[in-house]
Amino acid sequence: DIQMTQSPSSLSASVGDRVIITCRASQVIRNDLGWYQQRPGKAPRRLIHTASTLQDGVPSRFSGSGSGTEFTLTINSLQPDDFATYYCLQYNSYPLTFGGGTKVEVK
Amino acid sequence: EVELVESGGGLVQPGESLRLSCAVSGFHFGSFWMTWVRQAPGKGLEWVANIKQDGGQTYYVDSVKGRFTISRDNANNLLYLQMHSLRVEDTAIYYCARQTTVTLWGQGTLVTVSS
């Protein structure tokens, strides 16, 4: 199974900050990775697919990069709506696996 | 409008069975792989199962193999998850989602397994 190691598990930030979240895959997954945002009490929503393609309707302050085993989600100029938990998901091979999540909290 | 609506969750005892449903609207259901993902209370996301457009291929996480069955009714735009021999550790919100790449999610249905 492919393990997805996500870091940090939590971080504190302020509105306007740049936030970077990382996912490392235990083996090469090409760019078969998505990023998801989950607000408290809500279903997740996809932000990015194929590692760097922004989902329609997602603000451009979100961006993704990486390929192979190292991936990053960057949030430029953090907004109040962005305080949430973020997950990566590899869909290169079964079983599909999520990272452990990163909770972005208010500093 | 695209919508995925799960139902069928509830409180059951260990060893019992439950069938979850997901009613889909707003897109051509039969053209997409479909997925179940779950989230235990206060925990992260876990992929559970996938099913191909025609139901001819299915995949499961090891922890549910032999106990859960994913199926679909393309004529009625319905996705199912039949769960047998439920365990306390199956307690979670169960989400249905579109595609293997999990593009769209339902709002989830809570399954609680407790004696």
Side-chain angles (χ1 to χ4, degrees):
Chain A
D1 297 3
I2 297 174
Q3 310 302 318
M4 300 301 295
T5 303
Q6 189 172 339
S7 61
S9 57
S10 66
L11 64 90
S12 297
S14 301
V15 171
D17 284 354
R18 170 183 289 181
V19 167
I20 298 174
I21 299 167
T22 298
C23 261
R24 178 178 292 114
S26 61
Q27 58 194 76
V28 171
I29 60 168
R30 302 183 307 180
N31 64 345
D32 298 330
L33 181 117
W35 288 99
Y36 299 82
Q37 176 194 64
Q38 187 178 33
R39 298 184 175 117
K42 301 294 186 183
R45 70 159 176 155
R46 191 169 75 169
L47 301 175
I48 285 167
H49 63 91
T50 53
S52 60
T53 303
L54 203 62
Q55 185 77 17
D56 288 347
V58 173
S60 59
R61 63 181 179 272
F62 291 92
S63 63
S65 65
S67 183
T69 61
E70 296 280 337
F71 302 87
T72 60
L73 172 70
T74 301
I75 312 172
N76 284 305
S77 189
L78 197 68
Q79 296 300 300
D81 272 351
D82 302 338
F83 292 99
T85 301
Y86 295 84
Y87 296 91
C88 62
L89 166 69
Q90 72 79 18
Y91 42 81
N92 177 265
S93 61
Y94 290 104
L96 308 189
T97 44
F98 286 91
T102 297
K103 187 174 184 179
V104 177
E105 300 175 297
V106 177
K107 181 182 281 185
Chain B
E1 182 185 1
V2 173
E3 206 170 21
L4 300 88
V5 179
E6 302 92 337
S7 60
L11 173 63
V12 296
Q13 295 193 336
E16 293 187 338
S17 299
L18 206 58
R19 188 178 81 160
L20 305 183
S21 299
C22 173
V24 164
S25 60
F27 65 93
H28 189 244
F29 178 68
S31 296
F32 293 91
W33 282 75
M34 294 296 294
T35 297
W36 286 99
V37 174
R38 67 183 178 183
Q39 186 171 36
K43 302 297 184 182
L45 301 168
E46 180 182 39
W47 170 80
V48 175
N50 267 19
I51 186 167
K52 194 178 178 182
Q53 289 93 329
D54 63 359
Q57 276 181 252
T58 58
Y59 297 92
Y60 299 90
V61 68
D62 280 352
S63 59
V64 309
K65 280 180 186 174
R67 301 188 299 122
F68 289 13
T69 302
I70 187 172
S71 62
R72 63 193 297 161
D73 176 356
N74 287 348
N76 292 294
N77 294 345
L78 289 166
L79 176 71
Y80 299 107
L81 187 67
Q82 177 69 56
M83 305 185 293
H84 294 297
S85 304
L86 281 160
R87 304 168 180 168
V88 170
E89 55 266 32
D90 295 320
T91 294
I93 296 173
Y94 285 74
Y95 296 100
C96 70
R98 190 176 80 175
Q99 293 182 274
T100 299
T101 52
V102 194
T103 53
L104 294 170
W105 302 65
Q107 86 290 346
T109 187
L110 177 62
V111 172
T112 303
V113 185
S114 174
S115 55

